[in-house]
Amino acid sequence: MSSGKIVGVVLVVAAFAGGTYFGSSQNGAPVITNSSSGASYGGGYDKSADKNLNKGAKKSAVIERKVAGTVHVVNDGDTIMAAVQSAKPGDTIQVMPGTYHETVYVDKDDIRIIGVIQEGKRATLDGKGVLNDAFLYSGNNFVVENFVITKYKGNGVMGQAGNNFEIRNNIIVDTGVYGIFPQLGKNGIVEYNVISGIEDAAIYVGMSDNIHVAYNDVFANVAGIEIENSRHAIVENNNVYNNTGGILAFITPGLPIKTTYDVIIRNNFIYNNNHKNFGAPGSTVGGIPAGTGILIMAADDVVVEDNIITGNKTAGILITDHQNAPNVTIDPESDPSPDGVKILNNLMHNNGYDTIDEIKALMLTEFKQGEPDIIRVGNSKDSCIINRHRYVSVGVNKWQECSFTNTASIDTYLLDEPVPPRVIDPSERGKVVYNGVCAGCHTYTGRMIGPPVQIIQALYMDNPQGIADYINSPTKKREDYPEMPPQNYLDEKTRLAAAEYMLSRTK
């Protein structure tokens, strides 16, 4: 399916034949709601479920240090990785301006890597189009900031099951698949980064909880900001423009974590996201139509509030279930419907001015014409909207009026005190690596960045060592998939444990 189509013929047929969820146009005086007053949304997260709370703590993801560690200074011509190998938990690595050609892997807790900015000059990590990743971290309480990162094939900054992280004030350009990619982490901040030229997502929060994404400038990517299979996330005060799709909250089927819920998207500038889709053919993001401001796919309890959403040629907000989404393989363990969507006050203007034919046909089911601000297709329940009369919309006529008008009572979903560091039992190492590393590119049945796990299982059957050897030194085998990067920073036992766990999966 081309990037110009979010849905196929099945959408139109379903809309005409089974569209009982669509109502006729409403008449009469509109219900006008003042969003600056009234009840506030309570959210879906109970902090008492987490231990070690300190309600007086400032907003921070990493633990406050009681004793300062050693400061390691890296000068141009040195390697950052050598400093990491010398560092102990609690140490800080300061990197002076210069150009560094390396991958930095951090598997220790409480390491801070700070680029030193001198008269506007920064430390630059340049992968030369050969290296896959700039920063990989699996340690807890990790901080990275103030770098320029460019010309990597895979990721700018990737987290692999590390809790309590802060990624801020970096300039990331042309790093392949993802710009910033925390995976399987809890309690993290991604803020004040500038990211462009990414073929999947500039900021991709995967299978994580309690995340704050704020004050980032993301442009000229396929997807600006993605919250995928994650919970309790706030995306606010970001500048999101000239991407194929602006901000996405969705469930990718076939991943170990099956849900996305409790996501607040507020106070963002989301405009002119009309970039040609250059994502991998057949991938989920490869099916996003250019001109999508916000995409909500199968995610639950997503709140959209006080955003400025303008100039997105397909639609301002597009809400769909899995059945009507492109390039999605249904996962029987994932709820395919976007339930509990809450659309509060938003400024929407000049969206849908060049929308796709499938949405035009969908609008006809409600006898509507014009430029669509909000499109909802497929099954959904328990959703609400205020001031619906402001928007050209399809599929929301039967939504209730929201019982609240704002999210002012929720400042952040970050925890009052960082969660305890993740401790990995040796018997769980294969599972953690599979979830934190492999699942970043492979779902069980569907296409993501790499081939489905089922295909890998069929190829290797009872040969986990073969997978482990390939992980260490991969070669390109399929023209329809990008080359897999080597994971040779993982030790031999860990690679074999991950391979054995992959072969044991049945879902």
Side-chain angles (χ1 to χ4, degrees), residues 81-298:
M81 194 63 222
V84 171
Q85 290 170 340
S86 299
K88 297 179 180 179
D91 288 357
T92 297
I93 298 170
Q94 294 181 350
V95 184
M96 304 303 291
T99 302
Y100 303 83
H101 306 292
E102 58 181 307
T103 293
V104 181
Y105 177 56
V106 182
D107 61 353
K108 304 173 182 179
D109 288 349
D110 197 14
I111 299 294
R112 303 183 186 193
I113 306 181
I114 311 300
V116 177
I117 304 173
Q118 288 186 321
E119 297 182 349
K121 295 181 179 179
R122 294 176 177 238
T124 298
L125 272 75
D126 184 348
K128 294 185 173 182
V130 177
L131 298 176
N132 193 70
D133 305 293
F135 288 101
L136 293 170
Y137 69 90
S138 60
N140 304 283
N141 302 314
F142 174 74
V143 177
V144 60
E145 59 184 6
N146 300 343
F147 287 90
V148 173
I149 303 172
T150 188
K151 297 180 182 177
Y152 285 83
K153 296 193 299 181
N155 309 288
V157 181
M158 181 180 183
Q160 301 177 334
N163 291 334
N164 308 322
F165 56 86
E166 298 181 4
I167 304 168
R168 64 163 59 87
N169 198 21
N170 300 287
I171 300 170
I172 301 175
V173 182
D174 186 19
T175 60
V177 182
Y178 302 117
I180 295 175
F181 181 14
Q183 170 96 330
L184 202 70
K186 184 167 184 173
N187 202 47
I189 296 173
V190 180
E191 63 182 7
Y192 296 106
N193 300 282
V194 178
I195 311 173
S196 66
I198 310 301
E199 66 187 41
D200 194 296
I203 298 172
Y204 182 8
V205 177
M207 298 195 295
S208 297
D209 295 89
N210 302 92
I211 306 297
H212 203 95
V213 180
Y215 303 107
N216 299 284
D217 191 58
V218 295
F219 59 95
N221 312 286
V222 174
I225 300 171
E226 292 185 23
I227 306 298
E228 180 227 43
N229 297 53
S230 296
R231 291 72 57 92
H232 316 305
I234 294 180
V235 180
E236 64 179 354
N237 300 314
N238 299 283
N239 196 29
V240 183
Y241 60 99
N242 193 30
N243 306 285
T244 303
I247 298 179
L248 289 63
F250 63 92
I251 297 173
T252 294
L255 293 179
I257 291 176
K258 306 294 185 181
T259 56
T260 294
Y261 58 81
D262 195 21
V263 178
I264 297 176
I265 303 170
R266 66 186 180 193
N267 300 325
N268 300 282
F269 292 91
I270 307 168
Y271 59 97
N272 300 345
N273 289 286
N274 303 311
H275 199 291
K276 180 180 179 181
N277 193 319
F278 56 98
S283 65
T284 301
V285 297
I288 298 172
T292 302
I294 294 176
L295 173 62
I296 301 170
M297 182 181 75

Side-chain angles (χ1 to χ4, degrees), residues 479-490:
E479 288 301 320
D480 53 338
Y481 286 95
E483 181 181 351
M484 177 178 166
Q487 310 293 325
N488 51 12
Y489 57 88
L490 300 171

